[in-house]
Amino acid sequence: MKKSLSLTLSLIMIITTLCALPFTAHAAGGDETNFSWTLEDGELTISPKGTGIVDETPWETYKNDITDAVLEEGINEIMTGLFDGYTSIETVVIPSTCKRVEDESFHNCTALEEIMLREGVEEIGQDTFCECSALETVELPSTVKTLDYRAFKDCTGLNDVGLNSGLQLIQEDAFYGCTNLKGVIVPASVTTLGDNSLGYYYDSGNNKKVTDFIVGGCGTSGLAKNYADSNGFTYWDVYNISMPVGKDGKYTAVFNEQTGLLKINYNGDMSVRFRGRYWAVYADKIKAVEIGGNIKEVEPSAFIGCSNLTSVKLGNKIETVYPTAFANCPKLKSITIPDSVTDIWSLAFGYVYNESEEEYLLVDGFTIKSACSNAAVKTYVENYGTDYNGKKLTWSKTHSYDNGKITSTTDKAYTKTFTCTVCTATKKTTYNKKSNTITAKGKTKSVKYATVKKKAVTVKRADAITVTKPVGTVTYAKASGNKKITINKKTGKITVKKGIKKGTYKVKVKVKAAGNATYKAKTVTVTVTVKVK
């Protein structure tokens, strides 16, 4: 009896110990008729075989362990309700080969935060993402033509929707119950906009309107305008947007379809956040973006996928650029960051998603231009300046240089070295020396013959030669003249030696200013007339 009790206690202790150990999910997988699957570290990968139709869920046992669902290229069709009620899934990847995302495929996936729909997907089925309450952003590829009934119904966290040109049908209740969604731009390509598809939710047995809901569209008439007017919503014409911020109407965004320039301004006094997806309907037409006024933040994914964007001008009030603000803009090769920017988030610019690599990769030759003192740019370059393939972006720094020091000279030029007052950067600039400003003129000086018969006579330089504005040390040299007349090299004094005969003598003198570090040397030849009488 004691032995049996002891064994029982030992088993209890072993079980208790095992229960206390951290759980480690083991890899799983299998080969089905038309697909294969693997589950490792929470990522379920479904690969094509045969017809590429996913018509069963062999991973059901691991339902609560799946955090990421990746359907690879070649998967052509999925069954209704494939992941219905999988409340641990956070991200989903749908391949281009899957033309329709079937009904209720991700219904009630309450942890789902990110949907990656590849170009090629054409239809979102009924209730497909219904009740995905953690979902905040949806960006539909241009190939999607249909949003079926209740496609995103009751996605209460959804606040940003990008519907691109190509979409045709938005069926009834498509975004019903999305209480955090304050506005949607309807592309001109849409031909059906179902009842209660935008701006409505259910409360206390009644349909209610989302407060201050805005419907955007192209032009001053059409489907979007009719929907807004008939339901009592505010309408924005996206070709000339004048968008209120709360009760403040000083926010404007104007798009010039001819030039492709989108200008965004806010001239109020408060800090403003704005949603970039208001202009998603013509993302492929935007070539340049200018953000000015008092706008301080560029929203996440504000201009993502602007495939023809080549130029961005950020105003000097911008402080924060959020994640992927300018991602997937392959023609954007550089961006200038003003000194006001203090925070740049992940993949904000310079990156394009590569489908084959399934990674964001740097745009070839991408350059960030900013002051060398910008700490936000420094951090961004350190964290995102190199992609996983080793490709690097260029940081073109603007430096604040000192007045420079002359570090080398030649007869005709001099070089200055400038040092940045912020960092250790230096630059050297060579300048041509300026012409010497010296001028000189010879005079006439008389000496008495009676005096030079007895002794030499010295004439002051000032009495014989006028010298003005010399740069550098001045020296003198006799070029020609009577040998009894000499000149002092340093002082310029002229000596008339004893025994010279009466007469008038012309002496040529070279007057040289040596110049300095920034001025050239120069020699002027003058004629001094000495009269002995």
Side-chain angles (χ1 to χ4, degrees):
M1 183 71 178
K2 288 182 180 179
K3 185 174 181 180
S4 176
L5 179 60
S6 175
L7 180 60
T8 301
L9 290 173
S10 297
L11 287 172
I12 291 173
M13 289 178 65
I14 291 171
I15 293 170
T16 303
T17 302
L18 287 173
C19 290
L21 292 174
F23 174 74
T24 303
H26 297 288
D31 276 331
E32 313 306 323
T33 304
N34 295 312
F35 64 92
S36 60
W37 64 281
T38 60
L39 175 62
E40 188 169 359
D41 295 328
E43 181 174 300
L44 174 66
T45 302
I46 305 173
S47 305
K49 273 179 59 183
T51 62
I53 298 174
V54 182
D55 52 3
E56 53 184 315
T57 56
W59 48 79
E60 188 72 20
T61 305
Y62 307 98
K63 175 178 179 178
N64 295 328
D65 300 331
I66 300 173
T67 57
D68 305 282
V70 179
L71 281 69
E72 293 190 330
E73 291 296 317
I75 296 297
N76 299 311
E77 186 180 326
I78 60 177
M79 62 183 283
T80 298
L82 184 67
F83 293 103
D84 187 359
Y86 280 54
T87 55
S88 296
I89 289 182
E90 298 173 1
T91 62
V92 169
V93 179
I94 307 294
S96 63
T97 50
C98 186
K99 301 305 179 185
R100 177 179 171 85
V101 187
E102 271 298 342
D103 300 348
E104 302 181 15
S105 299
F106 300 93
H107 172 252
N108 197 31
C109 291
T110 53
L112 183 60
E113 297 176 351
E114 183 178 14
I115 304 168
M116 300 179 69
L117 299 166
R118 306 295 193 211
E119 288 286 333
V121 176
E122 297 179 358
E123 297 182 36
I124 309 296
Q126 295 182 29
D127 299 290
T128 298
F129 296 103
C130 180
E131 297 184 47
C132 293
S133 54
L135 188 63
E136 294 184 1
T137 301
V138 169
E139 175 69 20
L140 297 184
S142 60
T143 53
V144 171
K145 296 179 175 62
T146 301
L147 287 180
D148 220 330
Y149 299 95
R150 302 175 300 278
F152 292 93
K153 181 177 179 289
D154 291 332
C155 291
T156 53
L158 191 61
N159 59 49
D160 191 7
V161 170
L163 307 179
N164 289 304
S165 57
L167 184 63
Q168 296 174 7
L169 305 179
I170 302 177
Q171 298 287 23
E172 184 177 334
D173 296 337
F175 291 97
Y176 187 90
C178 297
T179 51
N180 204 34
L181 186 62
K182 301 301 182 182
V184 173
I185 300 296
V186 180
S189 56
V190 172
T191 58
T192 297
L193 191 54
D195 293 343
N196 302 329
S197 56
L198 304 173
Y200 281 93
Y201 67 101
Y202 186 80
D203 183 51
S204 303
N206 296 303
N207 267 348
K208 292 190 176 181
K209 295 179 184 178
V210 175
T211 303
D212 296 327
F213 192 81
I214 296 166
V215 180
C218 304
T220 56
S221 62
L223 198 65
K225 178 73 162 58
N226 290 338
Y227 184 89
D229 291 345
S230 61
N231 289 280
F233 296 131
T234 300
Y235 178 74
W236 288 343
D237 175 8
V238 297
Y239 285 117
N240 190 348
I241 309 170
S242 179
M243 294 177 283
V245 179
K247 295 181 180 179
D248 193 335
K250 297 179 181 179
Y251 180 93
T252 60
V254 179
F255 179 61
N256 186 319
E257 194 169 12
Q258 282 68 46
T259 64
L261 173 62
L262 174 66
K263 281 188 174 183
I264 306 161
N265 279 282
Y266 175 72
N267 295 315
D269 297 327
M270 63 181 181
S271 174
V272 175
R273 295 173 70 93
F274 67 94
R275 299 290 180 189
R277 303 322 300 167
Y278 294 139
W279 34 82
V281 287
Y282 44 77
D284 58 339
K285 297 180 181 179
I286 296 174
K287 296 178 181 179
V289 171
E290 293 182 8
I291 303 174
N294 290 334
I295 294 174
K296 296 185 178 182
E297 299 173 337
V298 183
E299 283 290 316
S301 303
F303 301 96
I304 192 170
C306 290
S307 56
N308 288 303
L309 181 64
T310 60
S311 172
V312 171
K313 184 177 180 181
L314 300 178
N316 59 11
K317 297 294 181 69
I318 297 290
E319 296 175 357
T320 303
V321 183
Y322 280 104
T324 62
F326 298 97
N328 277 350
C329 300
K331 292 185 180 180
L332 185 64
K333 299 292 186 179
S334 69
I335 190 168
T336 299
I337 303 299
D339 293 343
S340 57
V341 173
T342 57
D343 199 7
I344 305 172
W345 289 53
S346 61
L347 309 179
F349 38 71
Y351 278 85
V352 172
Y353 190 79
N354 185 291
E355 297 285 349
S356 60
E357 299 267 6
E358 294 188 348
E359 292 282 349
Y360 272 97
L361 300 179
L362 274 168
V363 174
D364 288 335
F366 191 85
T367 301
I368 299 177
K369 300 176 183 179
S370 78
C372 67
S373 57
N374 193 303
V377 174
K378 182 176 184 293
T379 300
Y380 188 83
V381 172
E382 289 172 351
N383 292 339
Y384 306 104
T386 305
D387 65 20
Y388 90 105
N389 281 335
K391 188 189 300 179
K392 296 180 180 294
L393 59 74
T394 299
W395 183 10
S396 178
K397 303 175 184 178
T398 301
H399 300 281
S400 299
Y401 288 107
D402 61 16
N403 293 325
K405 294 180 180 179
I406 295 174
T407 51
S408 66
T409 61
T410 65
D411 289 341
K412 296 181 179 180
Y414 64 97
T415 300
K416 263 189 171 183
T417 299
F418 301 87
T419 303
C420 181
T421 57
V422 178
C423 65
T424 58
T426 60
K427 69 172 181 177
K428 292 183 178 181
T429 305
T430 299
Y431 304 89
N432 292 325
K433 286 186 176 181
K434 299 175 185 177
S435 296
N436 206 298
T437 55
I438 185 173
T439 61
K441 185 178 180 181
K443 296 182 178 181
T444 298
K445 179 64 179 176
S446 296
V447 296
K448 293 180 179 180
Y449 175 69
T451 303
V452 295
K453 277 180 68 176
K454 298 176 183 179
K455 62 179 182 179
V457 175
T458 299
V459 179
K460 292 179 181 179
R461 191 273 303 162
D463 292 337
I465 304 170
T466 300
V467 180
T468 57
K469 295 183 180 179
V471 179
T473 303
V474 179
T475 57
Y476 306 86
K478 180 181 173 183
S480 65
N482 191 289
K483 11 180 174 180
K484 284 191 176 287
I485 299 176
T486 61
I487 187 164
N488 186 290
K489 180 179 180 182
K490 291 183 179 180
T491 65
K493 290 179 180 179
I494 293 176
T495 299
V496 181
K497 291 184 178 180
K498 177 183 173 182
I500 195 170
K501 295 179 181 181
K502 288 182 180 181
T504 299
Y505 300 91
K506 301 244 183 224
V507 180
K508 286 189 176 181
V509 179
K510 291 182 177 180
V511 184
K512 180 180 180 181
N516 60 17
T518 58
Y519 281 83
K520 298 176 184 177
K522 184 178 180 180
T523 299
V524 179
T525 301
V526 300
T527 299
V528 178
T529 301
V530 179
K531 291 184 177 182
V532 181
K533 57 183 181 180

